[in-house]
Amino acid sequence: MGALIKGKKFGRRFDSAGKVTCSWGKEVPTAAVTIALPSARPNYEDFPEVEIAELTALGVKAQSGGTEIAVGDRSLYNQAFVVIAPRFRLTVEQLSEERRDDALRESAVALTTWLTS
């Protein structure tokens, strides 16, 4: 699991149940924006649709969701906000130790508004 989290190696390893720890450092958060054709295979097709007034006014659909990776008392959140427009599919993803739902939504709205203007 340590190699999956930003290439960080395990700081320590315990083999007994409930004692797994890893070090993912302070290089988290990371963010990614992907713009693809609307026909591209979606990464997050099972995420629920959300209604955002600014996006509805532009005639596009949006989905939002995420997963939590928990190890001991630490959590790492992988969140995504997807905009599906007639000419493109926009995905804004965030990997962070904190949930950042509002930041993802605001970024996706701003990028979609810019792309459609």
Side-chain angles (χ1 to χ4, degrees):
M1 182 171 169
L4 296 175
I5 303 173
K6 290 293 290 166
K8 297 288 183 187
K9 296 183 178 179
F10 282 100
R12 305 185 283 175
R13 177 174 288 174
F14 299 95
D15 292 328
S16 62
K19 297 275 188 173
V20 177
T21 62
C22 67
S23 171
W24 46 62
K26 292 299 176 193
E27 295 191 21
V28 172
T30 62
V33 175
T34 305
I35 301 172
L37 293 173
S39 59
R41 181 164 162 52
N43 291 337
Y44 304 105
E45 60 191 348
D46 59 337
F47 281 179
E49 258 189 54
V50 293
E51 200 164 316
I52 307 297
E54 297 94 337
L55 296 177
T56 302
L58 295 173
V60 300
K61 294 191 301 183
Q63 295 173 287
S64 181
T67 57
E68 178 181 2
I69 302 167
V71 178
D73 63 345
R74 308 259 327 255
S75 290
L76 189 64
Y77 298 95
N78 182 21
Q79 299 172 257
F81 195 94
V82 182
V83 176
I84 304 158
R87 296 182 298 168
F88 61 87
R89 178 187 308 272
L90 171 77
T91 305
V92 180
E93 297 175 88
Q94 174 77 38
L95 183 65
S96 175
E97 290 184 55
E98 298 174 18
R99 289 192 59 167
R100 299 174 190 267
D101 299 0
D102 293 339
L104 286 178
R105 185 188 70 249
E106 290 171 12
S107 298
V109 168
L111 287 167
T112 303
T113 303
W114 178 72
L115 286 170
T116 56
S117 62

